[in-house]
Amino acid sequence: MRDAAPQTIYLADYTPYGFIIDDVALHFDLDPRKTRVKSRISFRPTPDASDKTFFLHGENLSLVSAMIDGTPVSPEVTPQGLTCAVPDAPFVWEAEVEIDPMGNTALEGLYMSNGMYCTQCEAEGFRKITYYPDRPDVMAVFTVTINGPHPVLLSNGNPVSSGKDTAEWHDPWPKPAYLFALVAGDLVAHPGSFTTKSGRKVDLNLYVRPGDEGKCAFGMQALKDSMKWDEDVYGREYDLDLFNIVAVDDFNMGAMENKGLNIFNSSAVLASPETSTDMNFERIEAIIAHEYFHNWTGNRITCRDWFQLCLKEGLTVYRDSQFTSDMRSAAVKRIGDVIDLRARQFPEDQGPLAHPVRPESFQEINNFYTATVYEKGAEVIGMLKLLVGDAAYSKALDLYFDRHDGQACTIEDWLQVFEDTTGRDLGQFKRWYSQAGTPQLSVTESWDHGTLTLHFKQHTPASAATADPQPYVLPIAVGLIGQDGDEVHETTVLEMTQAEQSFVFDDLGTRPVASVLRGFSAPVVLTQDLSDADRAHLLAHDTDPFNRWEQGRMLAYGSLLGMIREGKAPNKDWLAGIRAVIGDETLDPAYRALMLGLPSQSDLARALSEAGDTPDPDIIYAATEATRAAMADAFADLLPTLYRRHTVDAPFEPNAKQAGKRALSNAALSLLTRNDDGVLAQEQYDAADNMTQQLSALANLVRAGRGNKAVEAFEAQWKADRLVMDKWFGLQVMEADPEDAHEVVETLTKHPDFNWKNPNRFRAVLGAFAAHHAGFHHASGAGYRLLADWLIQLDPVNPQTTARMCSAFQTWKRYDADRQDMIKAELDRILSQPGLSRDTTEMLTRIRGA
């Protein structure tokens, strides 16, 4: 059955549910095609509820029977759920339904992955398991019985009993249905344990398919590190006797924080030196931390409704960023977060998919699992902490946990604890949650006899989501660097609250260079009137690592835009500044590797479009390639030394120190390959004993045009490893020449191992293609047609993945008229498909209507 026409749901229409649930008992008789689910739920009317309608959500369910207090009833059933007459007093609802896990290709509710039963209930998947008020403000204690011929039968909470082909679980903590989880299958446990600060022993298990046992150790250690960090930094102790993680191959997202039973995409938990890169290890560490931290910021305290999604996600993303900063390099983590924010969230804010951190309405909630909710939501938390200070933040969080434990809350509840703790009025700050758009912040200077005045202006462009944005509260971290390179004024956080505001720095000897927006203290687009000489000065001397990197990035922008617009040569002063930084052995190798990066081609297209130019993807690609060639020549004498000095000879460890050295040596290798035709890359490929080195060498060989044999050898070596093969597929797309990219993708989609129904494999090929700027935007329009063809094929099977992939088209108005016409034609073709899912319909309608 295809989805019904989209209907808009509004935050303003929220009303509490008319009934309270005291307890839930579920009984599963598992069968691939005919699973029976029996529910026994104790209801009682909510006092003073305005709506007493007894409605239970339910989709794709076959109702077998229903009873109230033991008496059979005949509810009115629709494709969205059921209604029934009920007593105006406490009662027990019982129902039995039949579902088809094998046929559930959308991967929502109860489905099967390679013979394993698993669930995904966030946001609205539980209604595909049984009839229930599937909303986050309805919280209850669950007891679950599972019957099935499987060695492992898991659910939330603590085990109560088990026997042959049966198990009972009880979760003592009230939870909404979206946190329900069930897993059954032939799995192997990698065990561990953790002793909490109060002395309780918690048993830990990482469940995997047979054959993956050797990829569990890092994930287990990451879990233990996360548990200790949350105790040390936030005072949060784990609250069950058991914590289980299960690795699942077919999963739409990265992972899910179900209470006591986290379900993970295999790519987000399985790791070994031979099969995983340093980036994989860091991502796994962060995702495990994120899902564990949800135990308090998401589970113990959840969101009242899905409009409050940022309440749990923004806070938990901020917490996992803090964790990674503490475990690895804080500077590198911050720069990486900003790169991701600008690449993913800024385009949302500036295009047809713009929405506030807390949306006012939605048609399909799955479409609001966005960078705005997650990453911008985290930036808002960071700004709040910066404004109130570390001590007040900690005090407010303690109050939040004490006051709201066991509740389903709102942004108003969250901000109230800060107002009560600090005495601040956060009414204006709340605009960060209610307005869409990225503020444009400009700063100019005036100098008068030892006094520097910084004049700021903020403006947020109107959007379909926010017609008339009002000024935000902006924390602007500023330091001053003297002409001799010394810091003459340490970081000060300026609090801007007006559309225009000035700040004065007195008693300065000579005019300094202002280091503005240190640490990227607010998610804005900054325009600062600095000369190239001033930027080079900050690149050489700024004590803030983010701003030092930022000035190098701004000089790179200027150089590249000059090449694109006027055919200029790369900026020699910028090249000299980067050379000085990468050669400085006192700096973190990971930081120096970031310094060798360039703005993405998509970001250059954005910059051109904002300046009123029409970006040409081919010219952008050519300028980027010419810049990398110039870097290879300018650093030619330094690169071999960098490569050798930072090649790790010791046994592989996935720690920050080794990862940073590998990052710098591989960054050097990518430039060296441009001058040696891949000779060194081949040597590294042949000698590699870990995936970081092997994959980097393979990418360079493909880029140098001599990768055919290595590509074949890599496939032969790793054909049996599904996660490594995802890398193999994606690398060939990402490294393809723009002229050939769509043909490479077409060839790969015909490969016998291209399982387009698996989200990881689909994203590895089509997601990589959408990110290949010049290839996807080929002037022929072949890229647009190819992606549209696959979205049409995928939508009936997996609407969530389809809808998220539609964002590849969101920036279509940047480009020339011919490309715009071709994209519009493809959007219209997809939208014309009969029975298009509401997920995809909403996304494309918003994109098309830009």
Side-chain angles (χ1 to χ4, degrees):
M1 182 183 72
R2 300 301 293 276
D3 289 338
Q7 295 182 339
T8 302
I9 300 170
Y10 296 93
L11 170 60
D13 292 339
Y14 170 83
T15 56
Y17 188 55
F19 300 87
I20 296 169
I21 296 179
D22 291 316
D23 60 76
V24 177
L26 300 176
H27 185 108
F28 289 81
D29 290 314
L30 298 176
D31 181 272
R33 287 293 183 182
K34 295 182 177 182
T35 288
R36 289 291 180 104
V37 184
K38 299 175 184 177
S39 59
R40 189 179 190 276
I41 308 170
S42 299
F43 286 95
R44 54 189 166 93
T46 302
D48 304 321
S50 59
D51 186 356
K52 297 286 189 178
T53 303
F54 183 71
F55 174 76
L56 303 180
H57 296 98
E59 295 180 8
N60 303 331
L61 307 175
S62 296
L63 181 63
V64 177
S65 65
M67 294 189 294
I68 293 178
D69 291 334
T71 301
V73 294
S74 299
E76 180 181 345
V77 179
T78 71
Q80 288 74 46
L82 62 76
T83 56
C84 189
V86 298
D88 189 18
F91 63 92
V92 175
W93 164 268
E94 294 177 87
E96 183 173 2
V97 302
E98 187 174 278
I99 56 178
D100 178 10
M102 182 72 77
N104 182 4
T105 60
L107 312 184
E108 289 182 287
L110 178 66
Y111 65 94
M112 300 197 74
S113 171
N114 293 322
M116 179 200 313
Y117 293 87
C118 52
T119 55
Q120 170 54 31
C121 293
E122 187 177 356
E124 297 176 342
F126 191 78
R127 63 191 62 184
K128 296 182 178 182
I129 293 174
T130 192
Y131 288 103
Y132 194 82
D134 189 9
R135 41 189 289 169
D137 59 343
V138 176
M139 303 174 71
V141 172
F142 280 64
T143 301
V144 178
T145 302
I146 311 168
N147 293 332
H150 307 284
V152 173
L153 301 169
L154 305 173
S155 192
N156 307 90
N158 296 318
V160 176
S161 64
S162 63
K164 180 175 171 54
D165 299 339
T166 187
E168 182 179 344
W169 292 80
H170 177 71
D171 185 356
W173 299 102
K175 66 173 178 285
Y178 82 85
L179 291 172
F180 172 80
L182 180 152
V183 171
D186 182 11
L187 297 167
V188 181
H190 179 88
S193 65
F194 179 81
T195 302
T196 69
K197 63 180 181 181
S198 65
R200 288 190 308 106
K201 180 186 177 186
V202 179
D203 290 326
L204 312 175
N205 291 292
L206 206 169
Y207 284 94
V208 298
R209 297 192 329 182
D212 286 334
E213 299 94 326
K215 301 178 182 178
C216 298
F218 181 80
M220 180 60 71
Q221 187 59 50
L223 175 58
K224 294 176 184 179
D225 291 341
S226 303
M227 298 175 81
K228 185 178 187 305
W229 186 91
D230 211 17
E231 289 184 347
D232 293 344
V233 178
Y234 278 84
R236 298 300 101 197
E237 185 174 333
Y238 187 61
D239 52 8
L240 290 169
D241 301 330
L242 182 67
F243 190 93
N244 289 325
I245 290 176
V246 182
V248 177
D249 287 347
D250 300 286
F251 205 69
N252 281 330
M253 296 184 282
M256 179 61 206
E257 71 267 18
N258 323 287
K259 186 71 179 183
L261 177 57
N262 284 190
I263 299 179
F264 272 64
N265 188 313
S266 297
S267 68
V269 67
L270 299 180
S272 71
E274 297 79 18
T275 62
S276 307
T277 65
D278 287 318
M279 292 180 65
N280 294 147
F281 279 106
E282 182 174 340
R283 175 176 180 263
I284 287 167
E285 184 179 64
I287 293 176
I288 286 175
H290 179 95
E291 305 307 335
Y292 175 76
F293 296 157
H294 264 315
N295 187 62
W296 276 92
T297 52
N299 296 3
R300 287 284 287 264
I301 303 176
T302 193
C303 44
R304 185 196 71 178
D305 51 72
W306 289 120
F307 296 100
Q308 320 293 331
L309 180 61
C310 59
L311 177 69
K312 73 183 187 78
E313 295 300 348
L315 177 55
T316 306
V317 169
Y318 180 72
R319 279 162 31 85
D320 82 53
S321 292
Q322 287 181 292
F323 170 77
T324 299
S325 295
D326 287 347
M327 298 297 291
R328 295 178 180 267
S329 164
V332 170
K333 173 60 176 170
R334 185 59 185 146
I335 292 168
D337 284 349
V338 174
I339 290 172
D340 289 344
L341 187 80
R342 288 170 171 170
R344 298 176 57 237
Q345 197 280 320
F346 278 20
E348 281 182 6
D349 257 353
Q350 297 159 357
L353 300 182
H355 62 87
V357 172
R358 181 172 70 177
E360 297 293 325
S361 66
F362 63 78
Q363 292 178 354
E364 174 50 64
I365 183 55
N366 289 324
N367 289 338
F368 279 94
Y369 283 74
T370 63
T372 298
V373 167
Y374 280 68
E375 278 71 32
K376 187 173 181 179
E379 293 293 321
V380 174
I381 304 295
M383 285 189 290
L384 185 56
K385 183 173 184 287
L386 189 60
L387 288 167
V388 304
D390 293 350
Y393 174 83
S394 180
K395 186 177 180 181
L397 264 292
D398 288 342
L399 178 60
Y400 179 66
F401 293 128
D402 290 342
R403 178 182 289 177
H404 295 296
D405 187 12
Q407 297 179 10
C409 296
T410 64
I411 290 301
E412 285 74 17
D413 296 322
W414 163 252
L415 293 177
Q416 189 64 52
V417 300
F418 281 87
E419 291 191 335
D420 292 348
T421 301
T422 66
R424 292 178 63 112
D425 180 350
L426 295 175
Q428 183 181 2
F429 184 83
K430 188 179 175 183
R431 289 174 186 165
W432 281 105
Y433 288 103
S434 61
Q435 295 186 161
T438 301
Q440 315 290 302
L441 178 67
S442 63
V443 56
T444 56
E445 302 177 7
S446 58
W447 171 259
D448 183 27
H449 298 93
T451 297
L452 177 71
T453 304
L454 300 180
H455 307 279
F456 290 94
K457 293 183 180 180
Q458 62 164 302
H459 167 70
T460 304
S463 68
T466 305
D468 184 24
Q470 298 301 300
Y472 288 94
V473 177
L474 298 179
I476 307 170
V478 174
L480 303 179
I481 303 298
Q483 294 300 322
D484 60 358
D486 291 339
E487 186 171 62
V488 297
H489 195 289
E490 295 182 351
T491 301
T492 298
V493 178
L494 311 176
E495 188 170 336
M496 184 179 186
T497 58
Q498 302 167 25
E500 299 186 26
Q501 207 164 341
S502 298
F503 299 89
V504 176
F505 296 84
D506 292 317
D507 300 323
L508 301 170
T510 57
R511 182 169 185 164
V513 180
S515 172
V516 178
L517 207 67
R518 286 184 156 186
F520 200 66
S521 57
V524 302
V525 174
L526 175 67
T527 302
Q528 185 178 5
D529 187 18
L530 288 178
S531 66
D532 282 357
D534 287 337
R535 294 195 186 280
H537 187 69
L538 292 175
L539 172 61
H541 302 293
D542 203 327
T543 56
D544 178 69
F546 172 82
N547 254 14
R548 192 174 187 185
W549 169 85
E550 178 80 321
Q551 299 314 316
R553 178 59 59 105
M554 294 306 296
L555 287 168
Y557 266 117
S559 178
L560 282 158
L561 293 177
M563 296 170 71
I564 292 165
R565 287 172 172 148
E566 304 172 47
K568 292 183 177 180
N571 185 312
K572 292 183 179 180
D573 292 335
W574 164 65
L575 289 169
I578 296 298
R579 178 189 173 90
V581 171
I582 64 173
D584 185 349
E585 289 296 331
T586 67
L587 297 175
D588 178 6
Y591 182 74
R592 287 185 278 162
L594 281 174
M595 282 289 190
L596 283 170
L598 294 177
S600 72
Q601 293 170 48
S602 179
D603 212 15
L604 290 166
R606 175 198 56 78
L608 289 163
S609 179
E610 289 177 353
D613 298 327
T614 301
D616 184 320
D618 295 330
I619 295 176
I620 293 172
Y621 175 80
T624 302
E625 286 297 292
T627 297
R628 291 196 174 104
M631 294 168 72
D633 290 339
F635 310 150
D637 60 325
L638 178 60
L639 292 171
T641 301
L642 282 179
Y643 178 78
R644 289 192 302 272
R645 180 173 290 164
H646 296 283
T647 297
V648 179
D649 294 327
F652 182 96
E653 292 184 22
N655 56 38
K657 182 177 180 180
Q658 279 199 12
K661 290 175 71 67
R662 283 188 288 268
L664 184 54
S665 68
N666 283 324
L669 177 65
S670 69
L671 295 176
L672 285 165
T673 300
R674 293 178 178 273
N675 291 333
D676 77 350
D677 294 324
V679 172
L680 187 58
Q682 186 67 60
E683 292 177 6
Q684 178 169 307
Y685 184 87
D686 293 339
D689 63 356
N690 64 80
M691 183 53 63
T692 302
Q693 298 302 89
Q694 187 178 21
L695 200 68
S696 173
L698 180 61
N700 280 291
L701 288 171
V702 172
R703 201 177 300 131
R706 52 177 293 179
N708 290 344
K709 289 184 178 180
V711 166
E712 292 175 0
F714 191 95
E715 180 187 12
Q717 180 182 0
W718 296 111
K719 189 174 180 63
D721 191 302
R722 58 210 181 278
L723 296 180
V724 177
M725 286 300 290
D726 286 337
K727 297 177 174 65
W728 180 83
F729 276 97
L731 180 144
Q732 292 177 78
V733 178
M734 291 184 289
E735 301 300 339
D737 185 275
E739 285 297 318
D740 306 326
H742 65 278
E743 295 176 356
V744 170
V745 173
E746 286 180 343
T747 299
L748 290 172
T749 58
K750 296 172 184 175
H751 191 282
D753 289 334
F754 178 69
N755 176 9
W756 58 274
K757 294 181 180 180
N758 176 267
N760 287 352
R761 190 58 47 88
F762 191 89
R763 287 189 288 256
V765 178
L766 279 307
F769 182 49
H772 190 309
H773 186 256
F776 179 60
H777 291 288
H778 191 274
S780 67
Y784 309 143
R785 292 190 293 274
L786 179 59
L787 181 59
D789 286 343
W790 278 104
L791 295 180
I792 289 169
Q793 182 169 333
L794 184 65
D795 183 70
V797 174
N798 189 329
Q800 275 193 40
T801 299
T802 306
R804 287 172 183 153
M805 287 291 297
C806 290
S807 61
F809 293 113
Q810 70 177 318
T811 59
W812 66 276
K813 280 208 161 182
R814 288 178 182 168
Y815 300 98
D816 57 82
D818 288 343
R819 285 184 170 89
Q820 288 190 30
D821 288 343
M822 288 186 288
I823 293 175
K824 284 189 291 184
E826 297 308 318
L827 296 177
D828 291 342
R829 181 162 69 95
I830 302 171
L831 283 166
S832 70
Q833 299 301 308
L836 194 70
S837 71
R838 63 175 181 258
D839 306 61
T840 302
T841 298
E842 180 187 22
M843 289 290 283
L844 291 184
T845 300
R846 292 166 64 197
I847 291 171
R848 179 66 175 84

